[in-house]
C-alpha cells in the first residue's frame, strides 16, 4: 500500500507529492506538502472473513485491519505488535436495551488514545532504521499527551515533547502528563500559555520549518499521524464482531480533532457491518455546523468540561473530505451531527447513573447523548447503538463526583500518577519557545 496526501489530492500541483510507503508516512508525520497522509485505497474485507469476525480475537482483528496498509511487516509481526500493545480488554457493555458502551478506557492511561499511541510506538520501534533519535512532538487537549507519554516512555531511539494548554486540562490529566518530567527520561510535557489550538498551531509550525524539522528529526503522534489513526479502526471492527447483529449498528463518536470518527468511517468503507455515525461534539461544533449548513468555519476553541474535545479547527476534517471526495451529501448519508453543552453533560451523567447504574465521564456522556438523540429522532429503531466510552470517569472526578454526590474509586494508574511529585514546565505559546525546547 502506498500513501498520498490530502493536499496533493485536493490542490493541483506542478510537482505532485510522490506516493510513499507506510513507514515513510509514519516517521514523516505530515506530508512534505503540508497535507495529511491517507492510503491510496481502502481494501474491503472478503465475505468469508466477515463471517468469521465474531470468532476472531482482538489481536487477530488488529493484525488483519493493519495488514493491507503495512507492507513492511508480515502478519505474524503485526500480530505480535497488537498482542503487546493491546494487552487490555475492550468490552462492549449493554447500558440499556439496544444501547451499548464500547469501553476504551482499560489501558494504562484510562483513555481510548492508549490504543493508537501504544500501537504507533511499537510500529515505530519495529520499523526504525536510523542513527539520529526521533523527536515525537505532540499537541494535546488532555488525553493524547498522557497516552503518548506512557506509550513512548523508555522506547529506544525516541524523545517526546508534549504541548498542552496551561490551566485547561484536569488535575488528573496534568498529573499523568507531567509524571515523567521529574525523571531523567525521554519524555517532557510543557504547559503552554494558550489554548489547544495554539498548541496545535505551534506543532504545525515546527513541522513546517524545514531546518528545525530536520535538526530535531520531528514526527507527530497526534491523530494527524497515519500510524495512530489506522489502529483506531480496530475497535470499530472488534465491536461489530462482538455484536454480530444482522442490522448494521449505529456508532456515536465523541469528536474533537475527528481522528476517531475518521477511523470509524474508514472501517465502514472497508466493508465491515456498520450503519451510520453520530459526530457528537461539545460547544466546539464546527463539523456539526458544517453538516447543517455546508460551511466549514473554524473558530477559536471554547473551554468545556469535556476538554479533550475542545478543538475549534479539527485537523482530520481534511481526511473526512478526502474520504468522500468533498461530497457533502455523501457525508450526510453516513454522518449526523450532534452538539451538547456542559449543563446537558452534567444532567446526563446524573440521569444515567441514577437510572442505569452506569457512570459516564463527560466525553462518553456526549457520545451517549448523541446516540440517544439519533434514536429518539426516529432514524434508528431496529439497529443496535454503540457509543464510544473514551475515558474512565475517575479521570474527571472534579466534574463527575459533584454530580453524583460520591467519590469515585481511583484505578491504580491514577493513584500512581497522583502520588508522583508534579513538576510543571511552563513555556510561552510562541514558536521561539518551542524551538528552544526542541533545540
Amino acid at each position: 500500500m502506498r500513501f498520498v496526501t490530502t493536499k496533493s489530492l485536493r490542490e493541483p500541483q506542478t510537482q505532485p507529492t510522490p506516493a510513499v510507503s507506510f513507514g515513510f508516512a509514519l516517521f514523516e508525520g505530515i506530508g512534505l506538502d503540508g497535507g495529511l497522509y491517507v492510503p491510496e485505497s481502502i481494501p474491503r474485507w472478503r465475505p468469508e472473513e466477515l463471517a468469521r469476525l465474531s470468532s476472531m480475537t482482538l489481536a487477530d482483528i488488529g493484525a488483519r485491519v493493519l495488514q493491507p496498509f503495512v507492507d513492511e511487516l508480515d502478519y505474524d509481526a503485526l500480530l505480535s505488535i497488537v498482542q503487546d500493545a493491546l494487552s487490555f480488554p475492550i468490552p462492549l457493555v449493554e447500558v440499556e436495551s439496544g444501547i451499548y458502551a464500547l469501553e476504551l478506557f482499560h489501558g494504562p492511561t484510562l483513555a481510548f488514545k492508549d490504543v493508537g499511541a501504544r500501537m504507533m510506538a511499537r510500529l515505530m520501534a519495529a520499523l526504525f532504521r536510523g542513527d539520529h533519535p526521533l523527536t515525537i512532538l505532540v499537541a494535546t487537549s488532555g488525553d493524547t499527551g498522557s497516552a503518548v507519554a506512557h506509550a513512548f516512555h523508555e522506547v529506544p531511539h525516541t524523545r517526546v515533547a508534549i504541548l498542552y494548554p496551561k490551566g485547561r486540562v484536569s488535575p488528573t490529566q496534568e498529573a499523568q502528563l507531567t509524571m515523567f518530567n521529574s525523571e531523567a527520561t525521554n519524555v517532557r510535557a510543557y504547559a503552554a500559555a494558550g489554548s489547544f489550538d495554539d498548541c496545535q498551531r505551534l506543532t504545525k509550525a515546527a513541522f513546517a520549518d524545514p531546518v528545525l524539522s530536520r535538526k530535531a528529526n520531528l514526527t507527530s503522534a497526534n491523530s494527524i499521524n497515519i500510524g495512530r489513526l489506522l489502529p483506531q479502526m480496530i475497535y470499530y471492527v472488534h465491536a461489530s464482531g462482538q455484536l454480530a447483529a444482522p442490522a448494521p449498528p449505529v456508532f456515536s463518536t465523541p469528536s474533537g480533532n475527528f481522528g476517531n470518527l475518521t477511523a470509524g468511517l474508514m472501517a465502514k468503507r472497508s466493508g465491515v457491518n456498520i450503519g451510520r455515525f453520530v459526530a457528537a461534539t461539545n460547544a466546539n461544533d464546527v463539523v456539526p455546523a458544517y453538516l447543517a449548513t455546508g460551511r466549514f468555519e473554524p473558530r477559536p476553541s471554547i473551554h468545556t468540561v469535556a476538554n479533550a474535545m475542545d478543538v475549534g479547527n479539527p485537523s482530520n476534517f481534511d481526511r473526512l473530505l478526502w474520504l468522500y471526495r468533498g461530497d457533502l451529501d455523501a457525508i450526510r448519508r453516513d454522518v449526523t451531527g450532534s452538539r451538547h453543552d456542559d449543563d446537558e453533560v452534567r444532567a446526563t451523567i446524573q440521569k444515567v447513573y441514577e437510572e442505569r447504574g452506569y457512570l459516564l465521564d463527560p466525553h462518553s456522556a456526549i457520545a451517549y447523548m448523541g446516540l440517544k438523540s439519533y434514536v429518539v429522532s426516529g432514524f434508528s429503531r431496529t439497529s443496535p447503538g454503540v457509543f464510544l466510552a473514551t475515558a474512565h470517569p475517575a479521570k474527571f472526578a472534579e466534574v463527575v463526583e459533584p454530580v453524583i454526590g460520591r467519590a469515585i474509586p481511583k484505578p491504580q494508574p491514577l493513584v500512581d500518577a497522583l502520588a508522583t511529585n508534579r513538576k510543571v514546565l511552563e513555556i510561552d505559546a510562541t514558536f521561539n519557545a518551542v524551538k528552544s525546547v526542541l533545540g
Side-chain angles (χ1 to χ4, degrees):
M1 177 68 68
R2 307 293 285 176
F3 290 80
V4 293
T5 71
T6 52
K7 197 168 185 178
S8 68
L9 295 170
R10 187 177 67 244
E11 300 175 7
Q13 296 175 318
T14 53
Q15 292 184 322
T17 303
V20 301
S21 67
F22 171 79
F24 187 93
L26 173 69
F27 291 114
E28 197 68 21
I30 294 178
L32 299 175
D33 60 2
L36 304 184
Y37 282 112
V38 291
E40 285 188 321
S41 65
I42 301 176
R44 293 180 67 82
W45 286 56
R46 299 189 302 274
E48 59 270 24
E49 291 178 310
L50 294 173
R52 297 196 307 270
L53 192 56
S54 62
S55 63
M56 294 174 68
T57 67
L58 177 61
D60 288 331
I61 290 171
R64 170 58 186 83
V65 165
L66 295 177
Q67 190 176 27
F69 303 107
V70 187
D71 296 338
E72 298 94 326
L73 297 171
D74 62 25
Y75 179 86
D76 288 340
L78 286 171
L79 183 63
S80 178
I81 286 171
V82 178
Q83 287 171 331
D84 182 42
L86 305 187
S87 56
F88 48 89
I90 302 179
L92 197 62
V93 177
E94 190 167 22
V95 175
E96 58 191 79
S97 180
I99 301 292
Y100 298 84
L102 182 61
E103 292 189 345
L104 298 167
F105 52 71
H106 295 285
T109 70
L110 309 174
F112 83 99
K113 294 175 182 180
D114 283 322
V115 174
R118 287 171 64 83
M119 286 294 305
M120 179 182 174
R122 283 149 183 79
L123 287 166
M124 283 186 164
L127 295 174
F128 183 78
R129 298 291 184 271
D131 298 320
H132 187 35
L134 291 166
T135 299
I136 293 93
L137 177 62
V138 180
T140 184
S141 55
D143 290 334
T144 290
S146 57
V148 169
H150 283 71
F152 281 91
H153 183 230
E154 297 185 339
V155 170
H157 314 299
T158 65
R159 66 169 179 153
V160 178
I162 300 164
L163 305 182
Y164 67 94
K166 178 184 174 183
R168 297 197 183 191
V169 300
S170 74
T172 301
Q173 287 174 318
E174 188 166 60
Q176 289 185 306
L177 280 165
T178 60
M179 65 184 297
F180 301 120
N181 280 355
S182 58
E183 302 177 17
T185 71
N186 62 325
V187 177
R188 286 289 179 271
Y190 299 94
S195 68
F196 169 74
D197 291 332
D198 292 320
C199 296
Q200 188 158 256
R201 170 181 55 80
L202 291 169
T203 61
K204 287 180 177 180
F207 285 112
D209 186 312
V211 175
L212 178 61
S213 183
R214 207 164 37 244
K215 178 183 176 184
N217 202 13
L218 289 180
T219 192
S220 169
N222 285 87
S223 59
I224 58 175
N225 191 302
I226 195 69
R228 222 195 84 189
L229 181 77
L230 291 176
Q232 292 178 272
M233 296 171 63
I234 295 170
Y235 44 76
Y236 288 99
V237 181
H238 175 60
S240 179
Q242 288 184 79
L243 281 171
V250 175
F251 282 88
S252 180
T253 304
S255 301
N257 219 14
F258 278 79
N260 203 355
L261 179 69
T262 302
L265 291 166
M266 291 172 69
K268 174 179 169 65
R269 188 65 61 89
S270 73
V272 175
N273 185 37
I274 296 174
R276 289 175 58 87
F277 289 85
V278 180
T281 73
N282 55 23
N284 298 280
D285 62 344
V286 293
V287 173
Y290 165 76
L291 292 170
T293 67
R295 297 188 301 273
F296 181 67
E297 299 174 330
R299 57 177 182 263
S301 59
I302 301 167
H303 184 52
T304 75
V305 295
N307 62 9
M309 297 158 57
D310 291 350
V311 183
N313 187 11
S315 294
N316 282 291
F317 183 74
D318 272 359
R319 285 192 172 117
L320 187 65
L321 294 180
W322 153 76
L323 194 59
Y324 290 89
R325 300 184 181 277
D327 186 337
L328 175 58
D329 289 336
I331 299 173
R332 285 169 170 162
R333 285 193 288 272
D334 284 347
V335 184
T336 297
S338 179
R339 177 200 187 277
H340 306 278
D341 63 30
D342 287 355
D343 289 341
E344 292 177 276
V345 168
R346 292 187 177 94
T348 296
I349 291 171
Q350 182 178 33
K351 178 181 174 66
V352 174
Y353 179 66
E354 291 177 352
E355 295 183 358
R356 305 292 176 181
Y358 190 85
L359 194 54
L360 298 162
D361 90 288
H363 309 78
S364 307
I366 288 173
Y368 173 87
M369 283 189 285
L371 184 59
K372 291 291 283 188
S373 66
Y374 181 81
V375 173
V376 168
S377 64
F379 285 107
S380 176
R381 297 196 182 277
T382 58
S383 295
V386 179
F387 69 92
L388 272 57
T390 53
H392 194 289
K395 292 195 73 169
F396 297 89
E398 69 282 357
V399 176
V400 178
E401 289 181 349
V403 170
I404 64 171
R406 71 167 183 85
I408 304 170
K410 289 182 172 57
Q412 194 59 45
L414 288 191
V415 174
D416 295 341
L418 292 168
T420 304
N421 289 328
R422 196 176 309 178
K423 183 178 180 182
V424 177
L425 305 175
E426 297 184 9
I427 62 170
D428 293 330
T430 65
F431 186 51
N432 283 338
V434 173
K435 285 174 68 174
S436 70
V437 301
L438 295 178

